Amino acid sequence: RDVSHELRTPLAVIIASAEALGRPEAPAEVRSAALARLDTASQQLAQTLDALLELARVPPAGDAAGQPLLAAIEQAIVEQAARRPREDLTLVIDVPPGLRVPLRPALLRILLANLIGNAFAHAAPGPVRIAVEAGRCTIVNRAPVDAGAGEPGLGLGLSILRRLDERYGLELRIEWVAGEVAAGFRLA
């Protein structure tokens, strides 16, 4: 049940986009939009499958050598900016350059893509701050003016992230504080 929507939605978009691309009489704008939707949906599907495979891994061990956090953040930013261009956002990154975190590469990629992608998709114009403080990586952005109480939606589905959190003890937190959304996880 938790996964059904996360797999079926991008698959339906892929099918519909492929059908639109298969119509030679479709205007160039329609075909271009279909190609963009196809690209986005296939990336979402791949991200969901990565998360599910990570949940299926046994045992859920960390990576003793650690992953370079800043490089992983930069990669997530590049990927999310390509998917969701936002000229009205500024990035403030406060992460020590040599910091390595003992998370598996796939898990770190999933967390950052999801949290940074959520900020790109839902932030009000202004700064998005990505920082390491007190052993946590946190992404903070201004909440949209029309944001109500409750938890923001996440690309992979909050239930999947919660399960990753339970499995790896990440202490995932998503909080609304003074007009901002702060989402983060424990690094060690």
Side-chain angles (χ1 to χ4, degrees):
R1 186 192 73 190
D2 291 337
V3 180
S4 177
H5 175 75
E6 302 305 328
L7 293 175
R8 287 185 180 163
T9 300
L11 189 55
V13 171
I14 289 169
I15 291 167
S17 298
E19 288 173 358
L21 287 171
R23 286 187 239 128
E25 73 281 359
E29 302 84 39
V30 170
R31 294 172 60 81
S32 178
L35 187 58
R37 286 190 308 273
L38 182 66
D39 180 55
T40 299
S42 63
Q43 289 177 22
Q44 288 174 337
L45 188 57
Q47 187 175 336
T48 298
L49 290 174
D50 283 347
L52 295 174
L53 291 172
E54 190 62 34
L55 276 170
R57 284 196 185 272
V58 178
D63 183 346
Q67 302 304 309
L69 182 60
L70 185 56
I73 288 170
E74 290 169 344
Q75 182 63 38
I77 289 169
V78 168
E79 290 170 2
Q80 295 306 316
R83 285 187 204 163
R84 301 174 178 97
R86 292 283 307 261
E87 293 183 15
D88 60 346
L89 296 180
T90 56
L91 295 173
V92 178
I93 302 173
D94 187 11
V95 176
L99 180 63
R100 298 179 77 83
V101 296
L103 297 175
R104 295 157 56 109
L107 179 60
L108 183 59
R109 187 175 53 251
I110 290 164
L111 288 167
L112 292 173
N114 199 290
L115 298 176
I116 291 170
N118 194 54
F120 274 54
H122 302 293
V128 172
R129 183 172 178 262
I130 303 171
V132 170
E133 299 169 327
R136 296 184 61 77
C137 179
T138 306
I139 295 94
V140 180
N141 57 272
R142 290 184 34 214
V145 175
D146 61 352
E151 296 174 306
L154 298 174
L156 284 178
L158 190 54
S159 65
I160 294 174
L161 277 187
R162 293 275 186 234
R163 287 177 189 228
L164 285 170
D165 179 28
E166 289 169 12
R167 179 149 205 186
Y168 291 97
L170 301 168
E171 298 176 16
L172 179 66
R173 292 188 198 132
I174 303 168
E175 304 168 319
W176 296 79
V177 179
E180 294 183 323
V181 177
F185 57 94
R186 184 175 58 84
L187 294 174

